[in-house]
């Protein structure tokens, strides 16, 4: 029986292109299978129970910049340190913008308006003042001279969209004494925009349709602009821990975002991925017998726009990025009506974004083979940029991962294949208060938690073979901009 089990495990590895089967009764299972079998559902759920408790103790969320996120960081780092990992928590700044209300009126008539990101607000009573339009030219509102011979002080200024950034337009208007800036968009659609950051924003700024300009600048028009908004800047952290063994020239990086949305505890999104890579790290230990170093990452600020992973990758030198052989991303792997989706590294689905960087197709094959061996037939999911693989792909780092679905609905064919409920969302609690411990699919979590461990250990042992990724020399040639 033991020999048969070992042969079955090795048979899976053959499918994945890693090792060969043997009939020797003295042969021990390869580490990949050992780690995968060691990642058990009870331990995975224990991590989720702790994250759920943290959320309950902190206003129901674990959002970046909130106490629940800081407590989540402490939980993960403490667990890692207990296993001998050296842990760093690099900080980065997050700019947030909260638009509470906006309105623009001419007399009793409402005018459609779209406040720009990071715009300062008006006072609570709103801004009631005269309105003037800057003459239209090839660079509207982009030069201080555009305001020559205009009495701008205290006025709401209108400029056409075009050429220079919105931030530059509002800065010039502010320097000339304008009280607010409206950017007129051509056509019926009122476009939004952003000023980029709180530090750049000087005066209330919003978009309007060009068709509303005549009414706003008409002599004697009673115009009122009201913007109630807050822009804040705060500091938060990622978590980084790397094995002390394995080649640092071929780093296997695996990540999951640790933050939730402010509206819920984020137990599937993304306590599930965070717990899976944490348990993988704990089972491997800080000094595993591996060929390639493994770097574990828990990202902050993903829910605000992939901010933690983007900051991390952007701050690496070209040489440090070249040392990363591949990136594995695990975001939502225990949805209550679960799909079994692997990132479409080869673009075989021919939808959405193109294929991932060279090596992404191999990662997809490896994960598909693992799931197939578990009796699950996976489907592809597009590299649509909604999770932390985005910054890695931008730098041509091969990437892959598993995803069990969010707000999209399961088809009848998928329900028949996976046993879920057709015409229902994969996760009806996505980005909501119901994303709790009670709404986790344990079977999907168990399967995918083991898949996470197997994928990490597979590439920790070797990045070569039929499901391998480019060597250092090959990826240096492929990532021309990284030299």
């Amino acid at each position: 029986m033991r020999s048969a089990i070992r042969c079955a495990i090795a048979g899976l590895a053959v499918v994945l292109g890693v090792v060969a089967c043997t009939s020797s009764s003295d042969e021990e299972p390869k580490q990949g299978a050992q780690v995968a079998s060691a990642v058990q559902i009870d331990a995975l759920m224990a991590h989720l129970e702790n994250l759920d408790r943290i959320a309950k103790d902190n206003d129901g969320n674990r959002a970046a910049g909130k106490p629940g996120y800081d407590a989540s960081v402490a939980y993960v780092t403490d667990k890692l340190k207990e296993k001998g990992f050296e842990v760093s928590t690099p900080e980065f700044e997050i700019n947030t913008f909260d638009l509470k209300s906006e309105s623009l009126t001419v007399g009793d008539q409402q005018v459609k308006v779209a406040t720009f990101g990071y715009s300062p607000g008006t006072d609570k009573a709103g801004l009631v003042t005269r309105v003037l339009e800057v003459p239209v030219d090839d660079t509207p509102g982009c030069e201080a001279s555009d305001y020559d011979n205009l009495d701008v002080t205290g006025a709401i200024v209108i400029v056409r969209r075009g050429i220079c950034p919105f931030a530059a337009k509002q800065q010039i208007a502010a320097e000339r004494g304008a009280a607010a800036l409206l950017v007129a968009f051509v056509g019926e659609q009122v476009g939004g925009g952003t000023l980029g950051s709180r530090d750049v924003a000087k005066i209330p700024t919003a978009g309007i349709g060009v068709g509303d300009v005549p009414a706003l600048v008409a002599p004697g028009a009673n115009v009122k602009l009201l913007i109630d908004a807050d822009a804040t800047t705060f500091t938060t952290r990622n978590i980084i821990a790397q094995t002390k063994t394995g080649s640092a020239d071929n780093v296997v990086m695996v990540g999951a975002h640790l933050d939730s949305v402010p509206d819920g505890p984020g137990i599937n999104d993304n306590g599930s991925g965070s717990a899976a890579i944490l348990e993988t790290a704990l089972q491997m230990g800080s000094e595993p017998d591996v060929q390639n170093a493994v770097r574990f990452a828990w990202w902050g600020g993903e829910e605000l726009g992939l901010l933690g992973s983007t900051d991390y990758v952007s701050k690496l030198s070209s040489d440090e990025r070249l040392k990363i052989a591949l990136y594995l991303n695990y975001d939502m792997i225990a949805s209550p009506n679960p799909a079994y989706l692997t990132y479409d590294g080869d673009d075989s689905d021919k939808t959405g974004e193109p294929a991932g960087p060279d090596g992404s197709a191999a990662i997809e094959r490896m994960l598909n083979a693992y799931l197939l061996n578990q009796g699950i037939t996976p489907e592809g999911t597009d590299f649509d940029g909604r999770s932390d693989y985005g910054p890695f792909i931008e730098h041509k780092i091969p990437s892959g991962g598993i995803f069990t679905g969010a707000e999209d609905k399961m088809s009848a064919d998928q329900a028949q294949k996976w046993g879920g409920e057709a015409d229902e969302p994969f996760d009806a609690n996505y980005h909501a208060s119901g994303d709790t411990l009670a709404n986790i699919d344990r079977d999907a979590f168990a399967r995918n938690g083991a898949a996470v461990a197997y994928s990490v250990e597979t590439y920790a042992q070797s990045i070569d073979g039929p499901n391998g990724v480019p060597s250092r020399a090959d990826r240096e040639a492929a990532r021309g901009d990284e030299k």
Side-chain angles (χ1 to χ4, degrees):
M1 178 62 73
R2 291 174 181 166
S3 178
I5 291 172
R6 292 190 183 104
C7 194
I9 293 170
L12 168 61
V14 168
V15 174
L16 301 181
V18 205
V19 296
C21 178
T22 177
S23 60
S24 170
S25 60
D26 295 325
E27 179 76 0
E28 291 297 326
K30 294 297 180 181
Q31 273 196 311
Q34 287 180 330
V35 177
S37 63
V39 172
Q40 294 289 313
I41 187 61
D42 287 347
L44 293 170
M45 292 300 294
H47 295 311
L48 291 192
E49 288 168 5
N50 280 286
L51 294 177
D52 195 59
R53 174 187 51 77
I54 286 170
K56 287 176 179 176
D57 291 344
N58 291 279
D59 297 322
N61 72 77
R62 300 182 302 100
K66 303 293 185 181
Y69 181 74
D70 292 337
S72 300
V73 169
Y75 174 76
V76 172
T77 55
D78 286 349
K79 290 291 184 182
L80 292 168
K81 289 177 180 178
E82 288 173 5
K83 284 291 185 178
F85 281 95
E86 294 179 1
V87 184
S88 64
T89 56
E91 295 183 339
F92 61 97
E93 284 191 345
I94 290 180
N95 294 310
T96 65
F97 178 68
D98 180 20
L99 176 62
K100 300 171 184 175
S101 64
E102 60 185 355
S103 66
L104 177 63
T105 56
V106 181
D108 296 331
Q109 299 297 311
Q110 290 284 339
V111 176
K112 190 171 183 180
V113 64
T115 302
F116 285 5
Y118 300 104
S119 168
T122 63
D123 62 29
K124 293 182 179 180
L127 177 61
V128 180
T129 187
R130 58 196 175 85
V131 181
L132 59 88
E133 183 179 17
V134 174
V136 179
D137 61 15
D138 292 336
T139 59
C142 297
E143 299 169 355
S145 59
D146 291 342
Y147 293 90
D148 289 351
N149 304 317
L150 293 176
D151 182 11
V152 177
T153 303
I156 297 174
V157 174
I158 298 175
V159 298
R160 296 293 179 93
R161 183 188 184 188
I163 307 301
C164 63
F166 298 134
K169 291 177 186 288
Q170 67 89 36
Q171 186 166 0
I172 293 168
E175 289 171 352
R176 296 303 296 258
L181 178 70
L182 298 175
V183 178
F185 288 73
V186 176
E188 296 182 359
Q189 184 67 36
V190 175
T194 181
L195 301 181
S197 73
R198 185 180 65 167
D199 295 337
V200 171
K202 305 297 181 185
I203 55 176
T205 304
I208 60 171
V210 71
D212 291 316
V213 173
L216 292 167
V217 299
N222 181 19
V223 177
K224 178 179 178 180
L225 175 65
L226 175 62
I227 297 174
D228 184 3
D230 291 319
T232 60
T233 299
F234 62 89
T235 299
T236 191
R237 298 172 288 168
N238 294 320
I239 305 172
I240 307 294
Q242 183 166 311
T243 59
K244 299 173 184 178
T245 50
S247 170
D249 288 327
N250 287 307
V251 173
V252 177
M253 192 156 190
V254 55
H257 76 87
L258 186 58
D259 62 317
S260 75
V261 293
D263 294 331
I267 300 306
N268 182 40
D269 182 18
N270 182 37
S272 61
S274 294
I277 69 169
L278 175 58
E279 188 60 20
T280 297
L282 300 181
Q283 292 299 329
M284 288 184 69
S286 60
E287 299 183 58
D289 182 13
V290 292
Q291 294 298 311
N292 306 308
V294 180
R295 185 178 304 162
F296 298 92
W298 290 262
W299 308 118
E302 189 270 356
E303 297 291 5
L304 299 173
L306 315 185
L307 301 183
S309 55
T310 298
D311 181 83
Y312 178 81
V313 176
S314 68
K315 288 178 178 176
L316 295 175
S317 68
S318 295
D319 185 64
E320 288 171 327
R321 284 195 289 266
L322 279 169
K323 290 178 179 179
I324 301 175
L326 71 153
Y327 174 69
L328 300 168
N329 190 74
Y330 294 105
D331 186 357
M332 299 179 67
I333 62 170
S335 302
N337 190 33
Y340 289 88
L341 307 171
T342 55
Y343 292 118
D344 187 15
D346 59 0
D347 196 29
S348 57
D349 293 349
K350 303 299 180 186
T351 60
E353 296 300 313
D358 187 21
S360 301
I363 299 172
E364 181 187 11
R365 287 195 304 271
M366 182 273 297
L367 288 168
N368 285 348
Y370 183 89
L371 291 172
L372 285 165
N373 190 268
Q374 303 302 307
I376 299 294
T377 302
E379 294 182 3
T381 185
D382 188 38
F383 276 124
D384 59 10
R386 289 179 60 174
S387 194
D388 291 298
Y389 55 78
F392 291 88
I393 287 177
E394 287 179 10
H395 288 279
K396 302 180 181 179
I397 297 170
S399 300
I402 291 173
F403 174 50
T404 52
E407 75 274 29
D408 291 338
K409 293 184 177 181
M410 181 178 286
S411 70
D413 288 344
Q414 290 172 329
Q416 185 175 18
K417 180 165 54 177
W418 297 323
E421 292 187 51
D423 299 321
E424 293 295 330
F426 298 116
D427 189 350
N429 307 295
Y430 176 64
H431 282 189
S433 59
D435 186 8
T436 65
L437 193 66
N439 292 314
I440 290 293
D441 188 287
R442 286 175 60 98
D443 290 340
F445 196 22
R447 292 188 186 103
N448 291 329
V452 169
Y454 201 99
S455 66
V456 171
E457 183 63 25
T458 293
Y459 289 114
Q461 292 295 353
S462 176
I463 63 167
D464 302 322
N467 291 330
V469 298
S471 65
R472 170 64 189 255
D474 288 340
R475 61 181 179 262
E476 189 166 359
R479 305 180 204 173
D481 59 341
E482 293 295 309
K483 290 182 181 179

